[in-house]
Amino acid sequence: MNVIESHGLGKCYRGTWALRECSVAIPSDHVVALVGPNGSGKSTLLNLVVGLAAPTVGTLAVLDGITPGSPEALDAIAFVAQDTPLYRNLSASETLRLAQSLNRHFDRISAEARLAELGIPLKWKAGKLSGGQQAQLALTLALARRPRLLVLDEPVARLDPLARSDFMATVLQAVSDDGVSVVLSSHVLTDLERVADYIILLRDGGVQLAGEVDALLDSHRVLTGPTVEAECYSDHPVIHAQSGRTQTHLLVRATATNPVPAGWETHRVGLEELTLAYLREPGASALPGPSRAVSSERPNEVRCPR
Amino acid sequence: MPTLTVPLSAAPRPLPPIPWRRMAWVTWRQHRVAMGAASAVLGGLALYLWLTGRQTHHAWAVVSACHPASSSICTRSRNDFNTSYVPNAVAAVVMMQLAPALVGAFTGAPILGREFETGTFRYVWTQGMGRRRWALGKLVPLALALGAMAGACSALFSWYYQPFFSDSFQTPLAPVLFGLRGVAFTAWTLAAFSTGAFAGALLRRVVPAVVATLVTYAGLTLAAGLYLRQHYLAPVVSRSLDLPGAAWIIGQWYTKNGHLAFNGVQKSAVNADRLQHFCPSAPPTEALGHCLALHGYTQWTSFQPAGRFWPFQWIEGGWLLVLSTLLFAGTLWLIRRRAA
């Protein structure tokens, strides 16, 4: 089952494409990280998925064929928006009551237990809570709905490292307890390695890299060797080269079993390193199935009206 | 271990909507301050009308019991009544004119303006309720509550103002009074509220939406009072110099030998010296009309009879209600369309 499936999806805001020619199929039972530079269309894609915005072109289905924004989709998808907006003048308890009123399912008992666990007093106004507590409250509200898909837009961007780690721990707990599928967008690459098992890299509104994290890490290696020999290296596709005066690091598409040239060292690539390499090389792409490079030429059939 | 897999999308059974009553607490909790302020404004106004109205009615009972009415004592008591109670009435009229705009703008504009300003629309529109039901569940009860409060206030004002009408120097169609009585006051309050809601959805900020609502409302009331209302029904045109009391005079002009006299300008604008030229001894009132008639001039008056008060009320209430409904529909359209 695919939690998100899009084909030729495009969204235009006042004359510019925020998302364009985006075709993805995101499988369920994963923690999917959506990464990409600013303006690459991450938030736009998530807004389309949760039904806040409607596509300009293309098709988009969630949770196996459900239309985003339909009652079924609203019921099954919980969304924590950027900066975790909450009603600041409502107490934590009233915030829970509001969520309970607005949803078919809401596990208030577990939500209250969770807030007690976090040390968030029910009587406190949401606006008085710390950034980390507000994020945890928003996440608690989302999880108490028992969603099939949890969508998080830059959930930890404003949090300090400790709150960030606690937040991600709560997400992972929900994944293991309830089997909820998660799609999260993030700038914070270090956190992703620990939580994400599927990654999608967006650039200029298109998909540059997509796949299961383990598979991607297994199919890439970092080779370190003398800079003078780096130019001659041609065994495997080089994604990114980082050259010092004497040593050069090459990120290549290769597996651990591939032979290493004499005088070169090899090591496994980390997710952050891999993501950064692709971010620095707009021309490179790695996609499941037939590979498709992100080209600057776009089909010009649909105009983006101003 | 064998697992039983059931296809999740096997039965696409439409979900029943979440009942409306679930919105009741949400609307109450999030708008109780605004509605409390609105009740305070309209309640305070009602209290003022009730307290000063009782005094006015008592005093008027004494004045109207005075007999014979043309005696100097009765005239003096009537004058005393006017000097004592007309200032109160003017204050009441001013407050009644301001109330719908203030109440409507400050309750209507934040409904969506604040959601956009704080970003909470992203939260609340992704809940199971759905944004359309959420919006209707807020707008309809708030509009009904405001309408009921405004209706009570305007009924009280009608009672309050009775003595000033029995004096019959005022027309009930007068622009400053017409919108405060009958169904018009409630309709104007709803129009201000729906304008506020629409402006909040359009401008996505509370303060600009409040300002826009007040400006729009002021423009609309001025346009209605100065230009629209006189055309609700074709005015009666009469050459009689003896017009029915409490008629709302739209225009007066003169003709002579079937042609417009004095270049067709209105009576009020005709140079007093020119009129004095014909009738040097006549004071500029009805007597002037009689004098000009002797010189072959015909005075024409177009007016709306006071008896058209209720037809005019229904016409004004009707178009304001249509306008409010359109603004609510526009708000829902913006909510549906403008997101993220």
Side-chain angles (χ1 to χ4, degrees):
Chain A
M1 189 186 79
N2 286 329
V3 288
I4 299 173
E5 206 174 316
S6 75
H7 188 78
L9 187 65
K11 176 68 187 175
C12 135
Y13 283 114
R14 296 198 181 93
T16 48
W17 289 99
L19 189 70
R20 207 164 175 194
E21 284 292 304
C22 175
S23 300
V24 288
I26 302 179
S28 66
D29 302 318
H30 280 287
V31 176
V32 181
L34 197 57
V35 293
N38 281 333
S40 59
K42 301 190 296 290
S43 281
T44 305
L45 178 58
L46 294 186
N47 281 328
L48 291 168
V49 166
V50 299
L52 278 174
T56 310
V57 286
T59 57
L60 172 66
V62 290
L63 298 167
D64 248 5
I66 303 178
T67 311
S70 65
E72 290 75 15
L74 289 175
D75 208 47
I77 300 176
F79 177 48
V80 177
Q82 209 162 350
D83 301 336
T84 58
L86 291 165
Y87 295 107
R88 298 179 62 82
N89 58 339
L90 259 58
S91 70
S93 159
E94 286 169 331
T95 305
L96 294 185
R97 186 168 174 189
L98 183 109
Q100 189 178 21
S101 303
L102 295 176
N103 289 289
R104 287 178 188 80
H105 323 284
F106 190 79
D107 190 344
R108 191 156 168 189
I109 292 162
S110 80
E112 283 181 1
R114 177 70 191 137
L115 292 186
E117 216 174 288
L118 292 163
I120 298 176
L122 285 175
K123 284 185 177 170
W124 281 23
K125 302 265 185 207
K128 292 262 190 283
L129 301 174
S130 70
Q133 285 175 321
Q134 287 189 17
Q136 286 282 5
L137 175 56
L139 183 59
T140 304
L141 292 173
L143 290 173
R145 291 174 54 191
R146 299 276 171 262
R148 286 164 62 198
L149 172 62
L150 176 66
V151 179
L152 308 166
D153 190 3
E154 296 282 355
V156 295
R158 284 189 320 158
L159 303 183
D160 61 67
L162 188 64
R164 212 176 263 179
S165 164
D166 288 348
F167 186 95
M168 287 305 186
T170 311
V171 172
L172 288 180
Q173 188 68 40
V175 171
S176 69
D177 289 355
D178 307 334
V180 60
S181 302
V182 179
V183 175
L184 65 95
S185 72
S186 187
H187 279 315
V188 188
L189 298 173
T190 38
D191 286 328
L192 296 179
E193 186 128 31
R194 210 159 53 84
V195 295
D197 53 15
Y198 197 98
I199 190 159
I200 295 176
L201 200 154
L202 282 183
R203 172 184 290 277
D204 301 332
V207 181
Q208 190 186 0
L209 174 74
E212 301 216 16
V213 169
D214 285 342
L216 282 172
L217 297 185
D218 287 346
S219 61
H220 292 80
R221 301 294 288 177
V222 175
L223 295 176
T224 307
T227 300
V228 286
E229 291 175 26
E231 291 298 316
C232 322
Y233 182 87
S234 60
D235 290 359
H236 296 287
V238 177
I239 306 300
H240 178 66
Q242 198 181 354
S243 302
R245 187 178 294 169
T246 55
Q247 293 238 299
T248 288
H249 301 277
L250 299 176
L251 179 75
V252 298
R253 201 168 299 149
T255 62
T257 54
N258 288 115
V260 178
W264 286 71
E265 282 171 24
T266 174
H267 71 87
R268 190 178 153 89
V269 66
L271 182 58
E272 185 179 0
E273 201 177 359
L274 179 81
T275 315
L276 279 174
Y278 274 92
L279 283 172
R280 291 203 175 100
E281 299 292 336
S285 73
L287 299 163
S291 183
R292 181 177 65 88
V294 179
S295 71
S296 53
E297 297 159 38
R298 306 280 198 180
N300 216 6
E301 299 144 20
V302 184
R303 289 191 161 262
C304 184
R306 202 156 271 281
Chain B
M1 198 177 122
T3 45
L4 188 70
T5 50
V6 179
L8 283 163
S9 57
R13 173 163 44 94
L15 286 171
I18 297 175
W20 289 110
R21 67 185 141 77
R22 297 259 212 109
M23 277 305 294
W25 180 83
V26 176
T27 305
W28 159 247
R29 178 60 191 87
Q30 296 196 290
H31 300 283
R32 63 186 187 190
V33 175
M35 290 313 276
S39 332
V41 169
L42 292 175
L45 187 49
L47 192 67
Y48 176 83
L49 292 174
W50 172 243
L51 293 177
T52 56
R54 281 199 338 172
Q55 292 173 3
T56 312
H57 275 262
H58 283 308
W60 181 251
V62 174
V63 171
S64 55
C66 186
H67 191 78
S70 54
S71 66
S72 64
I73 287 186
C74 289
T75 310
R76 197 185 311 140
S77 87
R78 188 172 283 122
N79 287 341
D80 286 350
F81 172 82
N82 284 342
T83 42
S84 310
Y85 294 101
V86 165
N88 282 351
V90 170
V93 166
V94 169
M95 287 189 287
M96 286 289 285
Q97 287 285 358
L98 294 176
L102 294 175
V103 163
F106 282 97
T107 52
I111 296 175
L112 287 141
R114 180 142 304 139
E115 298 285 344
F116 283 118
E117 208 168 274
T118 58
T120 43
F121 73 99
R122 291 176 207 277
Y123 170 72
V124 80
W125 290 0
T126 47
Q127 306 300 304
M129 183 63 78
R131 57 178 105 161
R132 191 170 157 275
R133 279 175 89 79
W134 168 85
L136 281 170
K138 284 197 167 196
L139 292 174
V140 173
L142 292 175
L144 289 178
L146 272 188
M149 287 196 281
C153 234
S154 105
L156 202 58
F157 180 81
S158 294
W159 164 81
Y160 169 87
Y161 213 80
Q162 270 166 8
F164 302 99
F165 281 124
S166 33
D167 208 11
S168 89
F169 72 93
Q170 289 233 46
T171 165
L173 294 169
V176 288
L177 286 173
F178 181 81
L180 310 183
R181 301 166 69 229
V183 293
F185 188 76
T186 311
W188 278 108
T189 307
L190 289 180
F193 174 72
S194 54
T195 308
F198 182 75
L202 191 69
L203 301 174
R204 304 176 144 213
R205 314 277 296 173
V206 178
V207 175
V210 167
V211 174
T213 307
L214 294 176
V215 170
T216 309
Y217 182 86
L220 210 55
T221 41
L222 284 177
L226 296 178
Y227 306 109
L228 297 177
R229 199 174 290 135
Q230 51 186 284
H231 300 299
Y232 286 173
L233 292 172
V236 178
V237 178
S238 162
R239 55 192 295 175
S240 166
L241 294 172
D242 190 20
L243 296 167
W248 181 29
I249 290 165
I250 310 296
Q252 281 184 314
W253 64 97
Y254 296 94
T255 57
K256 189 177 188 182
N257 303 326
H259 296 287
L260 280 174
F262 309 123
N263 299 325
V265 294
Q266 290 287 304
K267 177 188 174 185
S268 53
V270 173
N271 194 314
D273 291 344
R274 286 170 73 182
L275 294 176
Q276 291 289 312
H277 168 74
F278 291 103
C279 308
S281 60
T285 51
E286 296 93 57
L288 181 67
H290 287 289
C291 165
L292 285 168
L294 292 176
H295 285 82
Y297 290 93
T298 311
Q299 178 180 296
W300 294 90
T301 305
S302 76
F303 66 97
Q304 298 288 359
R308 289 184 175 178
F309 177 75
W310 278 107
F312 272 42
Q313 281 284 331
W314 293 119
I315 291 168
E316 185 148 315
W319 75 257
L320 283 170
L321 214 59
V322 169
L323 178 72
S324 305
T325 311
L326 287 176
L327 284 167
F328 282 135
T331 308
L332 290 176
W333 181 76
L334 283 177
I335 289 172
R336 199 182 125 93
R337 196 179 151 272
R338 289 187 73 166

